[in-house]
């Protein structure tokens, strides 16, 4: 239930692969969909099929956490409304 830090160099080889420890004790690589879900993208979000997993991991690592940006935007609007 904890997502590892996502970086822009994920999927580029070496130890740059997002992995998790499952409830059954297995270590496995996260799928690109799981990584984007962890960034707050909805499950219905469609990933491009013409990109490799390494490119998708890199895009996720360069992304922002959607709910955090949403909360920041709400607070900016609130602050503007108060003035």
């Amino acid at each position: 239930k904890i997502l590892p830090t996502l970086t822009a160099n994920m999927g580029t080889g070496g130890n740059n692969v997002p992995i998790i420890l499952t409830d059954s004790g297995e270590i496995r690589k996260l799928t690109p969909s799981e990584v984007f879900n962890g960034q707050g993208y909805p499950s219905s979000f469609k990933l491009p099929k013409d990109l490799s997993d390494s490119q998708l991991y890199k895009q996720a690592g360069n992304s922002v956490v959607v709910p955090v940006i949403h909360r920041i935007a709400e607070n900016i609007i609130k602050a503007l409304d108060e003035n």
Side-chain angles (χ1 to χ4, degrees):
K1 298 181 182 172
I2 297 174
L3 187 67
T5 300
L6 304 176
T7 64
N9 65 351
M10 290 188 310
T12 59
N15 294 326
N16 300 321
V17 180
I19 58 172
I20 59 167
L21 179 63
T22 66
D23 291 338
S24 63
E26 292 178 280
I27 296 174
R28 70 170 182 83
K29 184 167 65 169
L30 291 170
T31 66
S33 292
E34 290 172 322
V35 173
F36 276 93
N37 293 152
Q39 289 285 66
Y41 289 81
S43 322
S44 60
F45 184 74
K46 303 255 189 256
L47 296 175
K49 294 182 180 185
D50 60 337
L51 294 179
S52 67
D53 284 356
S54 61
Q55 290 173 313
L56 291 171
Y57 288 129
K58 185 175 183 177
Q59 285 185 0
N62 278 323
S63 182
V64 294
V65 181
V66 176
V68 172
I69 299 305
H70 186 263
R71 178 70 60 92
I72 290 169
E74 286 178 334
N75 284 303
I76 290 171
I77 291 168
K78 182 180 174 183
L80 292 172
D81 288 343
E82 290 174 359
N83 292 324

